[in-house]
Amino acid sequence: MIVATETVIISSSTLKMILEKELHETGYESLSLISLIDLETNQSLITDGKSNLFSLEVRSTIDSTGVPLFSQSKWRNIEVVQEDNGSLRLIFNDPESLGSVQSVSVVVTLQGTSDSPEIRMSWSGQSFQDRWTLWRGKFPILPFCPFGEQMKAFYPELSGLVRDNPFATNFSYRGDYPNGWNAAMAFCALWDESTQHGLYLAALDPDANLKVFEWKGNEEIKSVFSIDTPFENMGKAHNSFQENGVFVLRAFNGNWYDAARLYKQWVFLEAKWRPDLGVNGRTDIAPWMKENSVFLMASTDPRWLTPNRRVYTPLEEMDQAFAEFSEAVGLSGAVHWYLWHQNSYDNDYPHFFPAKEGFAEEVAEVQSRGHFRVMPYTNGRLWDTKDKGMEDWKYSAEGKKGALVRENGSVLTETYALPTSGKEEDGSPCILAAMCPGSEVWQKKVRENVLTAMNVYGTTGVYIDQVGAVAPFPCHSPEHGHPSGGGHWWLTEGYWKIFAKIRQDMRREVSDIPFSPEVAEKVRENPSILNDRIITTECNSEVYAHLIDGFLTWHWQNPSQVPAFPVVYGGAVPMFGRCSTGNSLALQMRVSQALTWGEQIGWFDPAVRNDEAAFPFIRDAIRCRHALRHYFYRGEMLRAPKFEEPLPSLTADWVWGGQANTHTEPAIQASVWRIVEKNNLNCDEKKSLTSFKSDSNQLSSSKENEKRSIVSDNDFDQKATNSVILLFSNASDQEVVSRVFVRLDELGLEKDSFRIRRIDAEETSELTYPSDFLENPIHFPPKKSFALELFVPEESI
């Protein structure tokens, strides 16, 4: 029986949260979340009634028995402490179910003021006894209810997905953060499309601790959002968990784009993975990579994943294939090179050396005659348990020491058996041990593979597969030197440490991985070529943005995608490639979307030049991107323009994972990009963002790219500070005519203050138009891409 209640309220300028503490007749106390109110609309955003604010799993260190705890559990007492800064601390002491004093304590901190739109929430906990260990917990738990007629949800899967009606029973999202498949960033949003009013949800954690976003709709017309966190030192007595950043709630006006802009502000203020940007973009990425516009993919082995647009090219013919592609497009680029090693795909990893005979020589030919920089495939996660044919060669002796360990002491293993790969000589699937980045064994091996490819075989880059694609795993090895279970060690003591070391060492003129005579000679002649080197990874996990030279966005295939990741990271992290399965129309649709989203075009074989239906459009898009490349490494993506007249649509099967993947997209893809001068992120954001660093470490660009440049750097540098492009790509075979609308206030421009010129695949138009040109219908030619550049005349600056 409840004998007394106490109301606890925390408010910001946009929200009010109401909680209720209850005193039971036994003397124990509990706490419930009662309401979350939007102060602008006076609507409740969560379901009526009482709900838990958090849940917690405590386990016995003796027999691993789990005891669930909740904010509504009975606690010996719950202290409410008002801090001087206006925040509230709710201190939960000694749950009744653990049966003793000084057992477990949980502290929830809530902060909100009338001067800020945010309610900020964090928690921490402590086990005080040998008997109990804190295992994992969910906080916050928010049971949302509909607050409009057209409810939509955004979550950070792939480039970002938007779903209708998150209150339906079939709505379910789980994202294991951080990973580039289903939790590339750490924010979500819920809004009413009819009113453009919603709620922004973000886990602002500079260290990127392992966490799981969960969001499910059900038949009770509610949509429950929560964050599940495995704790550090899980399984050990007296363990604790700290705040691990804060969870932020705020009401906002807009949709997914406006939520992404809010998240971007935080990233470039506080995230430890924020890239350093100067007036010419990233200060630590080779200029050729920043300017690159085409990234192809090729294999020198018929044992390949699927036949669709993945063509076997004999090793000795690689240079010819890329020379012909370069000639056809009129530009150089880069190649993602598969199966250059002697073992097959997903077999005998991580032993990639020695490479196939003639590989080094062909690399040199491709990078000179073929005009394409070479980036071979390596794997950054796996060690084959039979790593030399059917033999356990080095796995048990070396690799197993660095493998990920489950709580029961077993090694985490995976299989990737496909028709043409991932199999042993007897046809059985390869059993691959997943490796722990916190282990010295794996740190040395990843570095060794990268530097061997560069120093011995002369490659410009190295692709390190899976790292950005797979979430951290709560490793329990006592030998790796990191806390067992969750936390941020996966990054701070693992891959961040590995990549920082590689980036430093790959540019050294002296190395413990000796240069081959041929590479050594090239370095002696021109030491600056070391600055051209790059490392990339699979997918787009944001937490590697400061240490990776590019993300392979091959997996951006969902029909519900929006370019939230480019809105946050466009201009800061190169993104390249889409998986090119499907017919010619599907390929054109992907290229159209990739171009407008700022990606480097490609991840198809050079033989795509033989696709008579698609290649003219592809060539046009690549050259158009090259003409606009400055916007993609010096700029930022803004809100897309709106078309005043309905657009025709295109439908094609993009084919994904061997399954049908039907896309219906507007015939014209469109975007807006603006050059970033210093920290010109948005007019209303300037005051809240720190200045970017100057570009003092700018590297010299290659002569090849200078020679093939369409718009020269000298011409570009004369452009005005507020330089904006409206980028359009018509993948259909019909001309489309429509007016477009953009918000000039968001672009930092005023009516009649700018002029317009057209930029396309071939040249910048000499014709300029007044700003009212946008009030008239615009003609979009079939199978063409172009931009309208809005610029302030020099005499007006």
Side-chain angles (χ1 to χ4, degrees), residues 227-458:
I227 298 178
D228 184 7
T229 304
F231 301 134
E232 277 191 354
N233 292 310
M234 55 199 311
K236 295 186 178 180
H238 296 280
N239 72 324
S240 63
F241 64 93
Q242 303 306 313
E243 291 185 347
N244 299 333
V246 298
F247 180 77
V248 167
L249 281 168
R250 65 171 286 179
F252 76 99
N253 291 312
N255 56 23
W256 65 266
Y257 170 82
D258 303 276
R261 295 293 295 190
L262 292 174
Y263 188 69
K264 180 175 184 176
Q265 289 188 57
W266 174 78
V267 166
F268 285 92
L269 274 173
E270 297 184 32
K272 291 184 178 179
W273 59 85
R274 65 185 184 275
D276 287 337
L277 299 177
V279 294
N280 287 312
R282 285 285 290 273
T283 62
D284 59 342
I285 292 180
W288 78 263
M289 179 59 179
K290 294 194 296 185
E291 297 193 356
N292 189 53
S293 290
V294 56
F295 224 121
L296 301 185
M297 175 266 290
S299 168
T300 51
D301 195 312
R303 293 172 294 178
W304 195 210
L305 297 177
T306 65
N308 196 333
R309 298 195 186 277
R310 299 183 179 185
V311 181
Y312 159 57
T313 304
L315 179 64
E316 64 277 7
E317 297 178 13
M318 277 288 198
D319 63 311
Q320 177 69 21
F322 286 97
E324 290 176 358
F325 185 92
S326 180
E327 183 66 25
V329 175
L331 291 170
S332 59
V335 52
H336 188 177
W337 192 327
Y338 280 79
L339 292 169
W340 53 274
H341 40 88
Q342 297 188 35
N343 46 312
S344 63
Y345 195 70
D346 288 338
N347 191 3
D348 291 350
Y349 290 174
H351 311 305
F352 294 96
F353 303 101
K356 289 179 177 177
E357 185 177 352
F359 175 66
E361 292 76 11
E362 195 63 18
V363 166
E365 285 295 308
V366 170
Q367 293 186 155
S368 56
R369 174 173 177 258
H371 302 304
F372 267 71
R373 291 174 171 86
V374 171
M375 182 187 74
Y377 173 97
T378 64
N379 189 284
R381 277 191 69 249
L382 304 174
W383 197 307
D384 193 350
T385 55
K386 295 180 180 178
D387 54 346
K388 191 174 184 180
M390 296 296 295
E391 176 188 349
D392 178 352
W393 180 38
K394 291 188 177 181
Y395 169 68
S396 292
E398 297 179 18
K400 191 173 183 179
K401 298 174 185 177
L404 289 168
V405 176
R406 302 174 186 270
E407 60 182 280
N408 63 6
S410 65
V411 168
L412 177 66
T413 59
E414 301 171 359
T415 60
Y416 295 87
L418 295 167
T420 57
S421 63
K423 295 181 180 180
E424 302 290 0
E425 294 173 0
D426 63 356
S428 62
C430 297
I431 308 299
L432 304 159
M435 300 302 289
C436 176
S439 67
E440 185 178 2
V441 168
W442 195 237
Q443 291 180 8
K444 288 182 176 180
K445 193 62 182 178
V446 174
R447 175 182 175 274
E448 174 190 316
N449 280 343
V450 172
L451 293 182
T452 300
M454 293 178 174
N455 292 356
V456 177
Y457 293 89

Side-chain angles (χ1 to χ4, degrees), residues 155-216:
Y155 48 89
E157 187 171 308
L158 309 176
S159 62
L161 297 186
V162 170
R163 288 277 303 274
D164 294 332
N165 190 14
F167 302 92
T169 55
N170 65 350
F171 177 83
S172 180
Y173 165 63
R174 175 190 168 100
D176 296 81
Y177 181 83
N179 85 85
W181 276 97
N182 54 42
M185 298 177 286
F187 79 99
C188 298
L190 178 67
W191 72 95
D192 176 16
E193 186 71 13
S194 62
T195 64
Q196 291 283 289
H197 193 69
L199 193 65
Y200 168 74
L201 321 163
L204 306 183
D205 179 2
D207 290 308
N209 287 270
L210 171 58
K211 55 183 67 72
V212 181
F213 297 100
E214 295 180 342
W215 200 351
K216 293 183 179 181

